[in-house]
Amino acid sequence: MADDGMLLNFSLPEDAFMTPKIFKGGNWKDRLTARKSAEWGRAKAAERVAGGGKRIPDYGDVQSEEEELIVGEQQRPANKARTSNDTAIVKKPKVAREPHRGDILPKTTTGEVISSLFTSNPSVVKTAVQPAPEAVDETPIEPSNAPLSDELATFTNLGLSPTLANHLLTKLQLKAPTAIQRKAIQLLCASDTDAFIQAETGSGKTLAYLLPIVQRISDISLVMKAASQSFTRRSGLFALILAPTRELSKQISAVLETLLSCCHWIVGGIVIGGEKKSSEKARLRKGVNILVATPGRLADHLDSTEVLDVSRVRWLVMDEGDRLVELGFEKDIQKIVSVLNMRGRSREGGVVVPGLPARRTTVLCSATIKADVEQLRSIALKDPVAIAVDAAELADGSDGKPEQAFSAPSQLKQSYAIVPAKQRLVTLVAVLKQAFKRKGTVMKCIVFMSAADSVDFHFEMLLGEADTLGDSTARLPSTNLSRSGKIPQGNTIAETRTQGVSKVCGGEGNEVRVFRLHGSLQQVTRTETLKGFAKCEGPAVLVCTDVMARGLDLPNVDLVVEFDPPASKDDHLHRIGRTARAGKAGRAMIFLLPGCEEGYVEVLKEGKPRNLTRHEGDELLKKGFAPMAGVVGQGDVKEWEQAATDWQLEAERSVNEHPRHLEQARRAYQSFVRAYATHVTAERGMFDMKALHLGHLAKAFGLRDKPGRIGVPGQRPSGKGGKEKRVVKSGGKKRSSSAMEDVDANGGAVDEGEARRKMLGRVKMMTGGASEFNLG
Ligand SMILES: Nc1ncnc2c1ncn2[C@@H]1O[C@H](COP(=O)(O)OP(=O)(O)OP(=O)(O)O)[C@@H](O)[C@H]1O
């Protein structure tokens, strides 16, 4: 028959006669929609072959809202082309392509759009930044931040007393100094010069400035004893150490306490806020010899705590000096320095402490100190000496002005993953599944996000317990309960719990705990969570903002994932520096979108990684979702695709079925977009808001709304579901919650609302004061 003959000439889609795939993820509606989509795709393809039809639009395609709404409806007749008399451009017909399973699903009854993970993803940039794979250098390498192995490198040779050196060996198991410690201890024990200390992350800078201070104060106590004066906690405050975050201040204070246990007559203290000022005042009243503080809190005490006598301060250290400037603490520091100068002069005629140096030594310390610390230089430093591991790396060591030549620890294995926006969430899951597949491979992993909302959302996704979120009393860990054992009023489980066992990551017999941390959490929760993660003996993932990026020294962190890009390349070095510390091994991976973000590879190379490995999103998905214990290429090649799709559908269902989760996902999405807009100017070409595909991105937050409905800044509000302005109350003041969370994204959690206020100003400035940021 003629008809039969015609049929034989059809080129049918590859899977036309295959058994339809079984969709497992999501609820019955999702699965039905997915199945219908596949059938619909097949039918459309056949239709197109028969008559040459219009290309089926994909959710990911750049198309008008109207076009998007065609999906699932009768296709409109193609627009009539204009006649040759028309000057208007005639639209080119779109190129037909094969439909794909789950490619674009018919509009659901609620107007949601469900797209496939594997179609319409932008192609990677191959020419500009992807030269032929570089040969991998497998030769063993000396860790660059490890203690020295040289026989002469002992703490006593650097000027430390045998008692202190012995204490380091017995109590801290530190046999030899690191390279930066050798230089800094020697110099600061012997002279009163101001200094910059710049060395890689994890190279022991904390001890590099603490040890000489403890040694010199111990020397003062000996001189006083020789002069028949007793050294007590009331003898004077001799050293001040400033740090940008409370967490870092606590860590420094803990290291200090360990050192002081060998010279118990020297007393350390800490003032960082987060507790009653009266308690801090009481401690200060008793007297301290070394004080660790956040700048805002110290400035506050200098104003209001009369008993705080700073006239004998002879050492002032600013740890993470560049971060202090970034967070806008110059004014507080300026105030602290001028008070130190003033009170130092006014008490010159007072009681003389034998052995006290004549001048104050100021030290600035960071892995990334550069010219922008100029402000601090002029405020606080006089003829500083640059102390760096490799002086050649500093542009001009003579005037103590380090330049930008910062590198990551040599033993740190770095990689980047090119992951399309749609696949970001499921690829993160794949990376973590793979990392924790086998017991003992990875103990701890830190995942950095750009905003607090995003942390909350991903924390819940990684726990994988969304179904029971509706029951607000379920699984609330005891640490999150109020003293009475009741759930704090007004708090939901999502707001209160900060840790739990993941149902998503981890393999058999390898239970993984997930933690979340950001600056919008209460101080007590932050402290407990951090302690919980640090002390967790099993495998653990910490999802956090940049509040964790600076200075924190957590044990056994093997892997750092920069899921959201850092706000600057310095932040990148600090984030990845949470692993590979003090000579230990470590891995770091950054997620980049295909396209202009690939340009960031050149920035990664500035950190001089030894072997920078590239991963493709599909390759990571295969490894994470492959059914055969991570062996790629076994069984059905598409099985991993199916498993990844099922997982994604399930995630989308959980987001869309729980109002609280949906709200959380929308907030996370909005915060991500806002944070994206605050990249430093030099990097905006790579992190280009205009190139960000908001529709694809929404999928990575489990959202099925169109971007216009999510209320993203700069997007047209569309109808009822348009942009919402959420204003919440905090401390009696109204503020935009999302704006505050963006502050966490950029500033981390610093002491006091003061820094937050400053940071808001910065974000506002960077975004041109755009009203949609609700910063007012
Ligand atoms: N001489 C040493 N030998 C062995 N380990 C050391 C030595 N000095 C310090 N460490 C350890 O190295 C780790 C990193 O130290 P520290 O936090 O001071 O690094 P850092 O240079 O300040 O890092 P970052 O730039 O990230 O703040 C700590 O766990 C510390 O105990």
Side-chain angles (χ1 to χ4, degrees):
M1 273 165 62
D3 279 353
D4 291 345
M6 265 179 70
L7 271 172
L8 286 171
N9 286 334
F10 286 161
S11 135
L12 291 172
E14 267 173 31
D15 57 352
F17 300 110
M18 281 168 61
T19 327
K21 293 267 183 198
I22 298 162
F23 293 90
K24 295 183 207 144
N27 62 13
W28 68 269
K29 271 193 207 161
D30 299 339
R31 289 192 294 274
L32 181 66
T33 323
R35 191 164 50 76
K36 274 189 185 167
S37 161
E39 285 165 12
W40 180 79
R42 273 193 292 275
K44 284 292 153 198
E47 212 176 85
R48 197 178 59 239
V49 174
K54 187 177 169 183
R55 179 191 177 282
I56 300 157
D58 189 307
Y59 181 45
D61 292 348
V62 178
Q63 60 189 350
S64 70
E65 250 174 50
E66 290 73 26
E67 270 178 312
E68 233 173 66
L69 290 172
I70 293 171
V71 175
E73 294 170 2
Q74 278 284 323
Q75 299 238 345
R76 287 181 200 152
N79 283 346
K80 225 172 78 182
R82 296 182 187 223
T83 61
S84 54
N85 290 342
D86 281 338
T87 47
I89 300 159
V90 178
K91 274 190 185 173
K92 281 189 194 167
K94 288 180 180 170
V95 184
R97 62 162 173 73
E98 288 297 318
H100 192 286
R101 165 175 60 76
D103 189 15
I104 176 78
L105 308 191
K107 209 166 50 143
T108 64
T109 45
T110 52
E112 293 169 348
V113 187
I114 310 169
S115 69
S116 162
L117 283 173
F118 298 99
T119 55
S120 298
N121 288 316
S123 45
V124 293
V125 179
K126 297 232 165 166
T127 45
V129 289
Q130 202 194 18
E134 287 163 25
V136 177
D137 184 357
E138 296 287 7
T139 52
I141 188 161
E142 281 287 301
S144 52
N145 55 8
L148 299 166
S149 49
D150 152 16
E151 271 182 19
L152 291 176
T154 63
F155 285 110
T156 34
N157 280 353
L158 305 178
L160 297 187
S161 68
T163 316
L164 195 48
N166 192 42
H167 181 71
L168 290 174
L169 183 65
T170 53
K171 288 278 162 6
L172 296 160
Q173 283 76 48
L174 306 183
K175 291 186 198 125
T178 61
I180 193 67
Q181 286 168 355
R182 173 157 69 181
K183 287 194 173 182
I185 295 170
Q186 221 161 14
L187 185 88
L188 297 174
C189 275
S191 80
D192 299 329
T193 178
D194 288 353
F196 282 108
I197 300 180
Q198 189 265 310
E200 286 167 7
T201 51
S203 56
K205 292 186 288 296
T206 316
L207 286 180
Y209 64 74
L210 280 184
L211 282 170
I213 291 176
V214 171
Q215 182 59 58
R216 300 231 11 217
I217 296 178
S218 170
D219 292 346
I220 293 172
S221 72
L222 290 179
V223 177
M224 284 177 78
K225 201 175 167 193
S228 308
Q229 291 182 23
S230 55
F231 183 101
T232 69
R233 61 193 301 163
R234 290 179 181 276
S235 295
L237 173 61
F238 300 117
L240 272 175
I241 293 139
L242 303 179
T245 65
R246 291 172 182 168
E247 277 78 9
L248 183 54
S249 304
K250 283 191 172 180
Q251 182 180 293
I252 297 167
S253 169
V255 177
L256 178 65
E257 289 306 323
T258 323
L259 290 185
L260 294 183
S261 63
C262 79
C263 35
H264 53 86
W265 56 95
I266 304 174
V267 175
I270 180 166
V271 290
I272 52 172
E275 66 172 318
K276 278 188 194 155
K277 216 152 121 198
S278 53
S279 322
E280 288 185 345
K281 279 188 182 197
R283 282 206 303 276
L284 293 175
R285 202 169 293 120
K286 281 190 191 166
V288 289
N289 307 119
I290 304 175
L291 184 65
V292 183
T294 45
R297 194 59 162 193
L298 179 63
D300 199 2
H301 276 293
L302 287 175
D303 269 345
S304 61
T305 310
E306 241 179 71
V307 73
L308 180 61
D309 177 3
V310 291
S311 62
R312 291 172 187 172
V313 171
R314 291 297 183 270
W315 290 273
L316 171 65
V317 180
M318 287 178 251
D319 202 347
E320 304 296 345
D322 49 342
R323 188 63 167 170
L324 289 169
V325 173
E326 276 168 29
L327 292 174
F329 280 121
E330 300 108 281
K331 282 222 171 97
D332 289 324
I333 291 168
Q334 200 159 20
K335 179 177 168 183
I336 292 165
V337 172
S338 60
V339 172
L340 291 184
N341 291 343
M342 207 170 62
R343 296 199 190 157
R345 273 195 299 272
S346 68
R347 300 282 178 99
E348 261 163 16
V351 184
V352 179
V353 176
L356 196 68
R359 77 178 293 272
R360 190 177 63 238
T361 296
T362 302
V363 177
L364 239 64
C365 182
S366 170
T368 50
I369 287 185
K370 53 179 179 286
D372 68 358
V373 210
E374 198 59 49
Q375 293 112 300
L376 287 190
R377 254 165 82 89
S378 58
I379 297 168
L381 300 174
K382 200 161 176 246
D383 303 326
V385 170
I387 310 174
V389 174
D390 182 1
E393 288 186 358
L394 299 181
D396 186 358
S398 59
D399 75 347
K401 185 178 171 184
E403 282 300 326
Q404 300 178 38
F406 313 125
S407 54
S410 61
Q411 77 278 19
L412 172 56
K413 289 187 181 153
Q414 295 188 51
S415 67
Y416 60 98
I418 304 298
V419 182
K422 276 187 198 181
Q423 295 176 1
R424 275 169 52 80
L425 175 61
V426 72
T427 309
L428 174 65
V429 168
V431 166
L432 296 177
K433 270 175 176 287
Q434 174 67 9
F436 292 106
K437 213 166 233 170
R438 277 180 221 96
K439 204 169 185 167
T441 337
V442 169
M443 277 310 287
K444 291 202 180 135
C445 165
I446 302 183
V447 181
F448 283 103
M449 311 251 160
S450 58
D453 280 331
S454 202
V455 166
D456 292 345
F457 168 74
H458 288 94
F459 169 73
E460 294 294 343
M461 286 288 114
L462 293 179
L463 283 180
E465 293 176 340
D467 275 346
T468 43
L469 268 182
D471 174 8
S472 63
T473 56
R475 298 174 319 287
L476 194 66
S478 54
T479 51
N480 291 140
L481 295 173
S482 69
R483 279 205 188 136
S484 64
K486 288 182 186 154
I487 298 162
Q489 262 213 338
N491 282 348
T492 63
I493 193 167
E495 285 158 358
T496 51
R497 77 171 163 181
T498 53
Q499 55 172 295
V501 175
S502 173
K503 286 186 177 167
V504 175
C505 324
E508 260 193 44
N510 199 28
E511 188 179 272
V512 177
R513 288 195 81 77
V514 187
F515 296 76
R516 72 177 169 121
L517 217 156
H518 54 70
S520 298
L521 296 168
Q522 290 196 344
Q523 187 55 43
V524 60
T525 314
R526 270 162 56 178
T527 308
E528 274 193 19
T529 308
L530 191 56
K531 206 192 280 173
F533 179 71
K535 299 226 160 126
C536 181
E537 286 179 359
V541 179
L542 173 66
V543 189
C544 59
T545 56
D546 280 343
V547 69
M548 293 294 301
R550 289 270 182 160
L552 292 185
D553 184 56
L554 297 162
N556 302 326
V557 176
D558 312 285
L559 174 66
V560 168
V561 177
E562 292 185 89
F563 185 57
D564 295 345
S568 70
K569 62 184 172 194
D570 289 353
D571 289 349
H572 161 69
L573 277 179
H574 287 281
R575 280 171 163 197
I576 62 174
R578 294 318 97 207
T579 183
R581 297 175 73 74
K584 296 204 183 88
R587 285 191 294 134
M589 175 190 279
I590 182 168
F591 275 51
L592 297 173
L593 295 172
C596 50
E597 282 197 10
E598 286 177 73
Y600 200 68
V601 175
E602 293 307 312
V603 176
L604 299 180
K605 286 181 182 167
E606 287 175 25
K608 305 188 196 103
R610 185 147 168 264
N611 294 316
L612 184 61
T613 317
R614 177 183 174 108
H615 300 286
E616 303 300 332
D618 278 4
E619 162 211 332
L620 297 170
L621 284 176
K622 264 184 216 169
K623 283 186 184 160
F625 285 96
M628 295 286 293
V631 183
V632 181
Q634 296 241 359
D636 184 349
V637 179
K638 296 286 176 192
E639 269 181 72
W640 61 270
E641 237 183 70
Q642 184 71 58
T645 304
D646 288 344
W647 191 90
Q648 175 75 27
L649 278 177
E650 188 64 37
E652 288 177 25
R653 183 192 62 74
S654 74
V655 164
N656 289 279
E657 279 186 2
H658 295 98
R660 198 186 301 138
H661 237 207
L662 184 59
E663 160 79 356
Q664 197 178 42
R666 287 177 175 163
R667 286 167 60 171
Y669 169 80
Q670 288 183 335
S671 297
F672 174 92
V673 175
R674 288 172 181 162
Y676 203 84
T678 62
H679 275 278
V680 292
T681 322
E683 291 175 5
R684 282 201 210 147
M686 289 170 276
F687 300 103
D688 183 3
M689 276 296 294
K690 285 185 227 122
L692 198 59
H693 196 302
L694 297 175
H696 285 190
L697 189 67
K699 189 171 177 70
F701 288 89
L703 293 168
R704 291 169 176 175
D705 306 308
K706 287 183 295 171
R709 289 206 184 149
I710 306 171
V712 177
Q715 290 284 300
R716 272 174 298 151
S718 65
K720 281 188 219 159
K723 195 166 71 174
E724 274 180 22
K725 191 172 171 180
R726 281 178 307 101
V727 178
V728 295
K729 274 198 160 186
S730 167
K733 287 179 193 160
K734 280 187 179 177
R735 66 177 170 95
S736 151
S737 58
S738 54
M740 291 306 291
E741 284 138 11
D742 288 343
V743 172
D744 294 327
N746 294 286
V750 293
D751 81 315
E752 306 307 298
E754 173 66 0
R756 288 171 159 256
R757 205 167 42 79
K758 286 173 186 163
M759 200 59 206
L760 279 175
R762 266 189 77 227
V763 176
K764 191 172 188 176
M765 208 174 66
M766 287 164 82
T767 55
S771 61
E772 65 266 29
F773 286 83
N774 298 333
L775 293 165

